[in-house]
Amino acid sequence: MISSTSVYGLKMQWTPEHAQWPEQHFDITSTTRSPAHKVEAYRGHLQRTYQYAWANDDISALTASNLLKKYAEKYSGILEGPVDRPVLSNYSDTPSGLVNGRKNESEPWQPSLNSEAVYPMNCVPDVITASKAGVSSALPPADVSASIGSSPGVASNLTEPSYSSSTCGSHTVPSLHAGLPSQEYAPGYNGSYLHSTYSSQPAPALPSPHPSPLHSSGLLQPPPPPPPPPALVPGYNGTSNLSSYSYPSASYPPQTAVGSGYSPGGAPPPPSAYLPSGIPAPTPLPPTTVPGYTYQGHGLTPIAPSALTNSSASSLKRKAFYMAGQGDMDSSYGNYSYGQQRSTQSPMYRMPDNSISNTNRGNGFDRSAETSSLAFKPTKQLMSSEQQRKFSSQSSRALTPPSYSTAKNSLGSRSSESFGKYTSPVMSEHGDEHRQLLSHPMQGPGLRAATSSNHSVDEQLKNTDTHLIDLVTNEIITQGPPVDWNDIAGLDLVKAVIKEEVLWPVLRSDAFSGLTALPRSILLFGPRGTGKTLLGRCIASQLGATFFKIAGSGLVAKWLGEAEKIIHASFLVARCRQPSVIFVSDIDMLLSSQVNEEHSPVSRMRTEFLMQLDTVLTSAEDQIVVICATSKPEEIDESLRRYFMKRLLIPLPDSTARHQIIVQLLSQHNYCLNDKEFALLVQRTEGFSGLDVAHLCQEAVVGPLHAMPATDLSAIMPSQLRPVTYQDFENAFCKIQPSISQKELDMYVEWNKMFGCSQ
Ligand SMILES: Nc1ncnc2c1ncn2[C@@H]1O[C@H](COP(=O)(O)OP(=O)(O)OP(=O)(O)O)[C@@H](O)[C@H]1O
């Protein structure tokens, strides 16, 4: 009889001659070998025979079956002896081994059954006698139960067709399928050792994963592993309760870009039916490409800082930032795709428009700024309605302070902006709008609403003296026209550093989220009148932040008794009106190393300030930038310098900057100066601070007034005044001298070398 079967695509022909094959190949009756050698030899043959029987077309199913039975009876005593446990443990020493009943082919099979460990052959006859009653009876009860599992038919009779449902029998021994000699495996069979019907069985009917009695007895080597499965789930199909899987029934899905088990609906994978209960199915990998998947932007709006005049100021950091981007270099954040249009409200979006005539541009005012959304909206959302009413009424009061140029608050800050006469008509016309614009916090890309610890801020606000809130709102919050970068002459390097290291991290906190410490506390140090306050106001304008200006000297001189509370209230209100910039001038008054008395008002004030500063620096949510300025950096207690993450020298204006300041100030007046005279002015103002230059110009422009006959000045029209000439400057030079000595300048340079960050 010729039969054929197919395993793994191998066609096997079975002929009667194959029945003779064992006798020809095994000399099992030989008496020339020692029992130990025989056992070893048989074992080796058995291993080779049964381990690779599925691939061997030299043996018939019947022969294999007979051989198997014969050897099982003959040597079960040996293998069931005291030393048989290592054999079992060879391929069931791991949970997976138990489940699969086999070892990976790549793993070496440990010959734990050696000649020394073999049970004496003289017991074989007895064992054979006993085993003739049935293999299962020779098994210890424990093994029976373990091997039977949920397949009771397995242990009853090895030749029973029902054995075909065993997990280890389907292709290990063809004879076990004697009733199905020419069985063709279902097409869906992918090398699994499971029966083809396995896949269609509901989960509870899964055959026992335990090895068959033949495995338990050590006679059968576990089958070789199947070829790498197309999926790790044998028989896994859509007929079970795994409805969320979309695999076609009874077949493995083809490998696609979508990872197996990927559930488009995003539902978690169901508990697997193919794994021990409770073990979930593997988490599917997301698809490499999912059609229609779009990058979810952060709702970020691009920031376009106004261009620096000195491109060489670009730092490596900015280069790296740009390099990380891919594409639109037009944007400063080229690697982002933005969902929002550029806001025209943000001062950061106002590119300097040189086409605007000088008479029309005043301190950075942009006529194109929208006025529709200028109404002040307090960012504090959780304030009680009463407080909101109170706060908004205060705010509205604060919106109409005296003109910025003439304002001098009671906290002692010097009204250096004394050039009200330079204010352009446009500025006056739109003054209220500017103030409202400055009060309106920018809803920029990286700027969040002031939600940080709103509740506690609200509570603190409730408990704060209203008089203090009034004082902060009226005296410390400084209203004024926005300041643009171009309103500050020179200082290109400082401006670049501030833009890149202070503004951008605040505006785009998402892009800088990995950084541990963002520079939100800056120390500007340098000669008086060099633009430190101007820079502070500019930063606030660019951030659309509320600008708090605290004069250290004023606190000490005028408010010493309440200074501590004023500082506390200032930071509290600043948290309510984020983003906020708190500018503290003369910080050396608070942080001087001379202050030693522990409980002095200055000491308490310092403690409060440092506490508040520390809170700002450690809070990732707060969008508060603290800028401190001093002309005496050497007086700051050295242990407190570390509070300032950026220490920037604000030097005297260079010749270019001086020229710009002069041109800017004269632009609002009628003057008659040629280039040579301008050059002379620039040369002669060497060593002047920005404020000194401003004072010089102020003195020069009143020259024509002095030239008027002693009449009623109020009756004179501007058109009646002669233009400002070089001679007026000559006269002014007699009164205005540089305010900074060379010694002071040297000190700044030295301090900057030691502790500065910018140069
Ligand atoms: N770089 C500059 N560009 C344009 N104007 C300047 C500059 N520096 C100073 N000024 C002029 O000097 C005035 C005073 O500047 P500001 O108050 O910013 O100086 P400061 O460094 O803060 O002085 P202080 O240390 O005394 O507080 C400004 O209003 C402006 O008119």
Side-chain angles (χ1 to χ4, degrees), residues 414 416-417 487-489 528-534 661 690-691:
R414 172 170 53 83
S416 58
E417 298 78 16
D487 298 322
I488 304 171
R528 285 197 168 274
T530 47
K532 296 184 286 295
T533 310
L534 213 52
I661 293 172
L691 184 61

Side-chain angles (χ1 to χ4, degrees), residues 376-380 391 395 398-399 435-442 447 450 472-473 476-480 536-537 539-549 570 573-583 623-627:
F376 168 66
K377 294 174 192 163
T379 52
K380 178 73 180 158
F391 206 78
S395 302
L399 290 178
R435 283 187 282 273
Q436 288 173 339
L437 181 64
L438 193 63
S439 305
H440 180 65
M442 185 178 73
L447 297 178
V472 169
T473 308
I476 292 183
I477 292 181
T478 305
Q479 312 291 336
R537 287 179 53 209
I539 292 170
S541 298
Q542 304 307 307
L543 289 174
T546 315
F547 186 59
F548 295 72
K549 186 179 178 201
S570 298
V573 176
R575 284 194 185 89
C576 293
R577 302 184 58 160
Q578 293 181 48
S580 300
V581 169
I582 298 178
F583 183 89
Q623 296 197 315
I624 300 175
V625 176
V626 179
I627 303 170

Side-chain angles (χ1 to χ4, degrees), residues 705 708-718 720-721:
L705 272 178
M708 293 293 287
T711 53
D712 186 8
L713 291 180
S714 60
I716 298 174
M717 300 297 289
Q720 294 177 276
L721 294 174

Side-chain angles (χ1 to χ4, degrees), residues 236-247 263-264 267 270-271:
Y236 184 60
N237 57 63
T239 60
S240 67
N241 56 353
L242 309 179
S243 55
S244 64
Y245 283 74
S246 58
Y247 295 158
S263 171

